Amino acid sequence: MIRDLAGLTITDYLDAAREMTAANRPYLAHLLAEEAARRTADPATAAGIRAAYPHPTAAQKETG
C-alpha cells in the first residue's frame, strides 16, 4: 500500500513505531518516532517521544 508520506500524521508515525516495537524492530521504531518528534511543534512533547524511543545502540550501552 503506497501512501503520500506528506499526508501522514504524528499519530500515524507513533502507531507505526509501536507496531515496530511489538515486532522487535527497535531501530525502525526509533526512526518512526524520530519523525513524529520532528513534526511535533511542542518541544516538551518531542522530547517525550524521543525518550520513549531512544536509539537502540544508546539503550544497549546504558543497560549493557
Side-chain angles (χ1 to χ4, degrees), residues 10 13-14 31-43 45-50:
I10 294 166
Y13 282 101
L14 291 176
L31 292 175
L32 289 160
E34 184 61 34
E35 182 61 22
R38 190 184 69 74
R39 292 173 178 237
T40 301
D42 178 40
T45 301
I49 292 169
R50 288 183 175 104

Side-chain angles (χ1 to χ4, degrees), residues 12-14 16 19 21 23 26 30 34-35 38 41 47 55 62-64:
D12 293 330
Y13 282 101
L14 291 176
E19 289 177 16
T21 298
H30 165 74
E34 184 61 34
E35 182 61 22
R38 190 184 69 74
H55 192 283
E62 292 174 11
T63 60

